[in-house]
Amino acid sequence: MKISPSALLYAVLALSVTCTAGMGSYAGFQLGGQLGSLAGAVVATVGILAAVRITLALAGLRVAATVRAVLGDGHAQGTADTALTGITLYEAAAFPLIDGGTSEQERQARRTVAYRLAAYDGLPRPVRVSAAAALEVIDAGLDRKEARAAVNELAILIYDLRSGHPDADAYGDELR
């Protein structure tokens, strides 16, 4: 049986408050007088600060769990979107709107970034395959429309995988 982190922290919170009350009472009883009162106050303050820290940790766990439940992990979606952005920027550098609109250095820099993003291990396999196909068409540099179609195909794949589109079942559950 696995105990959830929040249940464990609730148990620690209850135990720490109980122990703090016991230690404060014992210190006050043993020392008596002003010294006992001071020792009890110090122990109670430490216990209260520990309880506040545990409560904040519990609140953070609940918020993180709620966000994960609503939005999902988001890592695969973010990496896929970033790869698409890098490939789109490389396409824009490879096929500028104006002749001479990008320098060879800029084109090479965007190409390097696009290839690194497309080869990232955290990227789902279907997206990597589609990204490689788009980069191959862009590198050929023969037809702007063919390159645009390959990048659009990549964008549609990412959208389908994220949204749970019925056509995406062939790709698996990487982005869901």
Side-chain angles (χ1 to χ4, degrees), residues 5-129:
S6 62
L8 190 61
L9 282 175
Y10 277 121
V12 169
L13 178 63
L15 184 64
S16 70
V17 170
T18 304
C19 288
T20 300
M23 288 187 305
S25 298
Y26 181 74
F29 177 74
Q30 285 296 325
L31 297 173
Q34 287 182 340
L35 189 57
S37 298
L38 182 61
V42 167
V43 170
T45 302
V46 168
I48 288 171
L49 291 174
V52 166
R53 174 67 179 110
I54 292 169
T55 304
L56 289 173
L58 282 169
L61 284 175
R62 286 183 173 244
V63 167
T66 303
V67 168
R68 271 193 307 276
V70 172
L71 299 178
D73 179 23
H75 180 73
Q77 295 172 359
T79 56
D81 287 340
T82 303
L84 176 63
T85 301
I87 291 169
T88 304
L89 289 173
Y90 173 48
E91 177 198 9
F95 299 104
L97 294 176
I98 302 169
D99 289 336
T102 57
S103 66
E104 187 59 32
Q105 292 85 7
E106 180 183 1
R107 185 177 186 278
Q108 284 301 327
R110 290 185 188 218
R111 181 180 187 275
T112 301
V113 169
Y115 269 88
R116 286 182 183 170
L117 290 171
Y120 178 64
D121 287 336
L123 203 59
R125 188 178 185 290
V127 175
R128 263 190 276 159
V129 169

